[in-house]
Amino acid sequence: MSPRVVVGVDFDDASAAALHEAAREARWRGATLDIVHVHHPAAAATAFPVPAGKGRDRPDPEGVRRRAAEALDAWLGTVDVDLTGIEVTHVLVGARHPGRELEAKGRGAALVVIGTRRRPAIAASLLGSVGEHLARHCQAPVLLTRS
């Protein structure tokens, strides 16, 4: 079984930088690259119980997943990254906690990569919530990249 490099993406510049670094690492390690996008599940559309007979306008879970897959494919088409020679897997997860999901996908991985956004000088020493969760809980090594 070949090693895996997991990269979490959310379609911003920080994700593009993370994907570049993850591709470089996967190529260097001879690893599979798992591109993971955690999207909000359809159930997250309402924050309160929906009475019986109502909620016909709630999103269809398959439709939400399909749109997330289309968004991932479209975003990957805009990112200038060379994925030739790398076995790539697209992983879509409908969940409310990206950090927990990336932690789970990172189990057994050689490396987990995510991007961090630039922050003002006062907050430069702080990680985002996903980065902090991974740094504290992920069993695999975690690489944080800057855009």
Side-chain angles (χ1 to χ4, degrees), residues 70-86:
E70 291 167 357
L72 177 59
D73 289 341
W75 180 77
L76 287 171
T78 66
V79 178
D80 183 26
V81 62
D82 180 16
L83 298 175
T84 56
I86 303 171

Side-chain angles (χ1 to χ4, degrees), residues 2 22 24 44 49 69 85 101 105 108 114 118:
S2 76
R24 189 180 70 76
E101 295 303 321
K105 297 298 178 196
I114 65 164
R118 295 197 184 273

Side-chain angles (χ1 to χ4, degrees), residues 78-122:
T78 66
V79 178
D80 183 26
V81 62
D82 180 16
L83 298 175
T84 56
I86 303 171
E87 183 181 339
V88 177
T89 305
H90 298 180
V91 181
L92 294 169
V93 181
R96 294 182 181 173
H97 302 287
R100 290 182 193 157
E101 295 303 321
L102 286 169
E103 174 192 356
K105 297 298 178 196
R107 287 192 187 106
L111 183 68
V112 176
V113 183
I114 65 164
T116 60
R117 293 173 181 89
R118 295 197 184 273
R119 298 182 182 277
I122 190 95

Side-chain angles (χ1 to χ4, degrees), residues 6-31:
V6 175
V7 59
V9 300
D10 63 1
F11 312 147
D12 61 5
D13 291 342
S15 294
L19 181 58
H20 281 275
E21 195 61 33
R24 189 180 70 76
E25 288 286 337
R27 185 172 287 109
W28 181 76
R29 296 168 188 262

Side-chain angles (χ1 to χ4, degrees), residues 23-76:
R24 189 180 70 76
E25 288 286 337
R27 185 172 287 109
W28 181 76
R29 296 168 188 262
T32 299
L33 178 60
D34 292 349
I35 302 173
V36 180
H37 174 62
V38 180
H39 63 89
H40 291 286
T46 62
F48 51 87
V50 177
K54 302 288 183 186
R56 290 187 184 96
D57 57 344
R58 292 183 71 191
D60 167 43
E62 280 306 309
V64 170
R65 184 172 178 76
R66 185 177 54 255
R67 285 189 297 280
E70 291 167 357
L72 177 59
D73 289 341
W75 180 77
L76 287 171

